[in-house]
Amino acid sequence: MIDAPRKPTTPLHSRRRLALIVLILVVILPIVVLSLQYPKLVSAAKRQGDLAMLVEAASSDANARAAKPWRFWYLTWRSDTPSWPVATFLTAEVYRLRGDLGKARKMYRELVVWAAADPYHDKLGGAGLVAAALLRWGQMVDLSSRSGAKDAERLLLIGPPLLEARLVSGMFTTDPIAVGLPQLEGEIRRLFAVVAWRMGRKEEAGNLFFSYLKVGTTSGHSRQEEEILSYLVKEKGVAPEKVALYRGERLVVLGRYGAAALELAAAAKSKDLQVKVEADLNREKLRRIVLRHEPLKLCADSEAVALLTPAIQFATDPDVSQEASMLLATTYVREGCGALYDFQGFKKAMTRLLKEHPRGERADDALNRLAKEYLNLYWQHGNEDDFKKSMQYYDELAQFPGDNHYRDSMRFMPALGHYSHGDPRSLKKSLSLLQQLEKERPSGPLHMACLFWSGRVAEELGDVDSARAYFGHAMEEGPFNYYGIRARMHLNEGGDARRRLDLDHETLAELSSLAQAGAAVSTQLTGKAPYHLRLKDAVPAIYRSALERYYQTRRTFSRKRLCDMDMQELEASGALMPVLLLLSYRLDAKAAAAAPMTAANRIEVAGYIGAQTNDWSAAMDILIEGKSLLGGRALAKEPGWLAVAYPPAFKKSLLKASSEYGLQPELLYSIVRTESAFNPAAWSEAGAVGLFQFLPSTLEQLDSEWHFLAQKDPASLNLYLLDHRKCTSLGGRWMRKLLDKHDGNILFVLIEHNAGEESLEYWKQMWTKRRRLDDYEFMVETIRFEETRSFARGLLTDYWISTALHLF
């Protein structure tokens, strides 16, 4: 077969081909390349300005309708740009508000799929806003269409694991300082269950609904949720009251105690014995929370015994039985109640726990409580048999074969016990135990305490050189640590330092000199992680605006905590978007602080957030987390730590209150730093509000004496405490009252402020009997409430450091 002759190419065809090539090379290719690179070439100022406009567009229906979302195309063009997840979520919100649900659903899905792919290879979830995108996408799933069914499959595949990612789960926190939306998690998990049920996947729906019940915040159920419950009860044999048990446990965590009590009472009526005993155990825990400001009502009362005894006897879960035994024991012996009501009852409960669960989860707790209680008996009454019993239990704890959470205190507390005898032989034994602890646990949590008390014991034994060596070591390791500062005072003042609460002149001068050498707060971010770059796009304008709108939300809804508002209420009020943005950016800051995981980077990020946005509570949260991850000593050694950890927050209000009531402003500053971490909207589970964390009931009691409130309804009380000026003034007046009452003794003021008057008086009796009422270091170390002990140490340290920094 002969091929046909090829048609010759004419010059016209060649010119057209050449023109096409030129067009592609000169016009089309540059446009494509430019469009791909444009998001990275846009100036920071334009990007930040457009992001701020997008935030406004997504804030209301009217703004969304007036917006032109196509203008922000470059912000959502490339998913490898740092602010892509924020811009994508905001753009999806604009489309949703405009009624363009198809585009909105596509963008929500795209954001969730991006997060599930672990875009930064750190398993953090990409961005906190992914949580809200999960909810929106799930709400828009349409199972009647083929594409909708595929969407549902995908949602159930990648959604539940994403809820465990740190940046997503961080949106649900119930911490009163960091703030969060636990109701968001509940809405997402219940949505997962309903979607699975509608798809006919009953087993999966039941499991997902159980996970919802453990975190849910609402009591009503939809028709489909009732169907799931019916399936669980009828086909899976789940006790109906188990739902009430789960809900009650969750409501306790959220601080909604009235609703929790009703749910737990319903669960306690169950015919399922295990549900009943767990409900009774939780009812007793709840009762103690509610009455924790009235400790006498919790001592050896019959209601506690009636609730806890069946849990000990019949619980098949050993953890439940042991927990009930621990609660029952503390019912008989309550620290700070003013008396030991039934020590034998306490001992019987603890020894029963040890007999029935010799290597159980709470066995080491039982040994520690017995040892500590006998030691407290010795300090209270001076009976040597009690001291010997205490040492026996500490020895048993040291030889405990199971998990032991008291490896430090099992040496340290006996050392304090021997020290309190005061004779040379006991002092030598005390020093030997401290040296043994330092050898066994050189990096343990009591390392600084061990160094300091080794110095004190050596000082009392007359070994001046050893004492100076121990004090010097403590001072070098922690120059701004409580024990480091006390050690410096001993080097300057000798044994008389134990009788001082204020810094001596030489110690103050030395600390001030060290403080002046520290670096200033950083106002720049040098990190290159996506979270650093995302923060740069938001700070200060978007971040600060979200923070201010969050504070406004707290004032507008002054009768409710954020976690007590449902999602619909937040959205209808316009508060949801700023809260979501604030939470997401705070989580970005924490992620940036961990990339890289160094003290210098963490301090830089915390300082940047605080200085640029005035969100010092977020900065404190970053430092607190760093203390647990890196260790307090590692952070404190960085030059910029002091400037970030002790910022000039609320300076004007604190100065005014201190001047008005004749106080040192450093005292008020230290209380605010400790109580609320500079968060004027802090709202605890117990209902304490504001910078000083006053309870509204306390506010009413003080008003009956001082008559300063115009109104006394709940909303007005909370609104008063949320006003940082009024709150600091009240704090100053309260401190003045306590200082006058205790002749200026700051330690006694702090103890009463934290633990109450009865506890303080009880402990003062003990210190008087031990002839230690002028030994502030011993008193601090032997405060029986661990919370109050930490509070006193931390607040005294803050008081000394803020004085040395000359903040006021």
Side-chain angles (χ1 to χ4, degrees), residues 270-436:
S270 177
K271 295 179 181 178
D272 184 317
L273 185 58
Q274 299 314 307
V275 172
K276 175 177 170 49
V277 296
E278 285 193 48
D280 284 342
L281 177 62
N282 281 282
R283 288 171 72 195
E284 175 58 18
K285 288 181 180 178
L286 173 60
R287 201 173 64 89
R288 289 172 185 242
I289 292 171
V290 173
L291 294 176
R292 62 184 163 191
H293 296 288
E294 300 177 83
L296 284 172
K297 292 184 179 180
L298 289 173
C299 298
D301 80 54
S302 57
E303 185 179 348
V305 176
L307 287 170
L308 294 170
T309 301
I312 296 170
Q313 293 176 341
F314 303 118
T316 55
D317 185 340
D319 291 344
V320 172
S321 175
Q322 291 175 78
E323 184 70 21
S325 293
M326 291 299 297
L327 284 175
L328 182 60
T330 55
T331 297
Y332 290 118
V333 178
R334 286 284 299 173
E335 295 179 351
C337 278
L340 294 168
Y341 285 81
D342 187 352
F343 179 76
Q344 293 306 316
F346 162 81
K347 182 182 175 182
K348 182 180 178 181
M350 290 287 88
T351 51
R352 177 175 179 170
L353 187 156
L354 289 169
K355 181 180 179 180
E356 295 181 359
H357 308 280
R359 295 193 183 184
E361 286 289 322
R362 303 304 300 269
D364 60 330
D365 295 320
L367 287 171
N368 181 67
R369 283 304 306 266
L370 281 163
K372 189 169 74 167
E373 203 59 53
Y374 271 112
L375 184 57
N376 283 323
L377 273 174
Y378 163 69
W379 280 335
Q380 182 69 31
H381 303 293
N383 188 324
E384 286 295 329
D385 287 339
D386 291 331
F387 180 77
K388 291 176 183 178
K389 279 283 189 182
S390 173
M391 297 304 106
Q392 286 174 13
Y393 278 115
Y394 276 122
D395 286 341
E396 284 187 47
L397 188 60
Q399 297 166 21
F400 183 65
D403 247 357
N404 187 347
H405 299 92
Y406 302 97
R407 296 190 183 280
D408 296 273
S409 60
M410 71 186 188
R411 303 286 185 215
F412 186 73
M413 292 307 295
L416 273 185
H418 283 286
Y419 166 81
S420 64
H421 277 73
D423 60 277
R425 182 179 176 183
S426 296
L427 290 176
K428 289 177 182 178
K429 178 63 176 176
S430 175
L431 186 57
S432 174
L433 285 167
L434 291 168
Q435 290 169 337
Q436 186 177 356

Side-chain angles (χ1 to χ4, degrees), residues 525-568:
L525 277 185
T526 60
K528 301 300 181 184
Y531 312 108
H532 292 86
L533 302 177
R534 194 181 298 161
L535 284 172
K536 285 183 178 181
D537 281 347
V539 172
I542 298 173
Y543 193 119
R544 187 176 291 176
S545 174
L547 181 65
E548 287 303 318
R549 291 179 73 175
Y550 163 68
Y551 287 152
Q552 180 59 47
T553 298
R554 301 314 310 119
R555 292 190 289 270
T556 302
F557 298 96
S558 60
R559 291 192 65 173
K560 295 182 179 180
R561 295 175 304 154
L562 198 65
C563 65
D564 294 331
M565 302 171 66
D566 60 40
M567 297 295 291
Q568 292 75 20

Side-chain angles (χ1 to χ4, degrees), residues 135 183-191 212 218 567-568:
L135 179 63
Q183 59 271 56
L184 175 58
E185 181 182 13
E187 290 299 308
I188 295 171
R189 289 191 182 275
R190 78 192 299 182
L191 186 145
Y212 155 68
T218 56
M567 297 295 291
Q568 292 75 20

Side-chain angles (χ1 to χ4, degrees), residues 433-492:
L433 285 167
L434 291 168
Q435 290 169 337
Q436 186 177 356
L437 172 58
E438 183 62 14
K439 182 179 178 180
E440 293 174 353
R441 308 274 289 174
S443 300
L446 292 179
H447 168 65
M448 291 296 295
C450 188
L451 289 177
F452 171 77
W453 280 96
S454 295
R456 261 207 63 164
V457 176
E459 185 179 64
E460 293 197 31
L461 285 169
D463 189 347
V464 177
D465 292 338
S466 293
R468 294 189 67 83
Y470 282 121
F471 287 141
H473 192 180
M475 188 181 70
E476 288 170 12
E477 286 223 14
F480 295 101
N481 174 277
Y482 168 82
Y483 294 107
I485 294 173
R486 295 304 305 188
R488 189 183 293 274
M489 291 173 69
H490 275 264
L491 287 172
N492 290 327

Side-chain angles (χ1 to χ4, degrees), residues 425-707:
R425 182 179 176 183
S426 296
L427 290 176
K428 289 177 182 178
K429 178 63 176 176
S430 175
L431 186 57
S432 174
L433 285 167
L434 291 168
Q435 290 169 337
Q436 186 177 356
L437 172 58
E438 183 62 14
K439 182 179 178 180
E440 293 174 353
R441 308 274 289 174
S443 300
L446 292 179
H447 168 65
M448 291 296 295
C450 188
L451 289 177
F452 171 77
W453 280 96
S454 295
R456 261 207 63 164
V457 176
E459 185 179 64
E460 293 197 31
L461 285 169
D463 189 347
V464 177
D465 292 338
S466 293
R468 294 189 67 83
Y470 282 121
F471 287 141
H473 192 180
M475 188 181 70
E476 288 170 12
E477 286 223 14
F480 295 101
N481 174 277
Y482 168 82
Y483 294 107
I485 294 173
R486 295 304 305 188
R488 189 183 293 274
M489 291 173 69
H490 275 264
L491 287 172
N492 290 327
E493 293 275 295
D496 290 338
R498 73 190 68 180
R499 300 181 181 89
R500 294 190 67 112
L501 278 175
D502 284 321
L503 299 176
D504 60 275
H505 179 74
E506 192 172 353
T507 299
L508 178 60
E510 290 171 4
L511 286 179
S512 297
S513 178
L514 284 172
Q516 289 170 6
V521 175
S522 172
T523 56
Q524 299 295 324
L525 277 185
T526 60
K528 301 300 181 184
Y531 312 108
H532 292 86
L533 302 177
R534 194 181 298 161
L535 284 172
K536 285 183 178 181
D537 281 347
V539 172
I542 298 173
Y543 193 119
R544 187 176 291 176
S545 174
L547 181 65
E548 287 303 318
R549 291 179 73 175
Y550 163 68
Y551 287 152
Q552 180 59 47
T553 298
R554 301 314 310 119
R555 292 190 289 270
T556 302
F557 298 96
S558 60
R559 291 192 65 173
K560 295 182 179 180
R561 295 175 304 154
L562 198 65
C563 65
D564 294 331
M565 302 171 66
D566 60 40
M567 297 295 291
Q568 292 75 20
E569 186 178 10
L570 281 169
E571 189 148 21
S573 69
L576 182 60
M577 181 55 69
V579 170
L580 287 173
L581 282 172
L582 177 62
L583 294 180
S584 186
Y585 280 125
R586 280 178 168 176
L587 289 166
D588 286 335
K590 295 178 82 169
M597 184 67 76
T598 63
N601 175 57
R602 183 165 291 273
I603 288 168
E604 180 184 83
V605 173
Y608 177 76
I609 291 297
Q612 296 282 23
T613 70
N614 281 328
D615 192 2
W616 286 111
S617 59
M620 293 297 105
D621 196 31
I622 290 170
L623 293 185
I624 291 167
E625 183 184 67
K627 187 176 180 181
S628 65
L629 293 173
L630 299 167
R633 295 197 291 274
L635 283 178
K637 287 180 180 178
E638 285 297 319
W641 173 75
L642 273 179
V644 178
Y646 294 89
F650 301 103
K651 191 171 180 179
K652 289 183 180 178
S653 297
L654 292 169
L655 270 172
K656 183 179 179 182
S658 62
S659 175
E660 187 176 359
Y661 297 107
L663 301 166
Q664 292 171 290
E666 291 84 1
L667 176 60
L668 295 182
Y669 175 90
S670 302
I671 293 171
V672 167
R673 184 181 186 274
T674 300
E675 289 282 20
S676 63
F678 306 116
N679 182 1
W683 197 322
S684 76
E685 292 89 346
V689 180
L691 289 174
F692 283 83
Q693 289 291 277
F694 282 110
L695 288 165
S697 58
T698 302
L699 189 63
E700 284 192 286
Q701 291 171 11
L702 293 176
D703 182 65
S704 65
E705 180 181 350
W706 295 331
H707 309 292

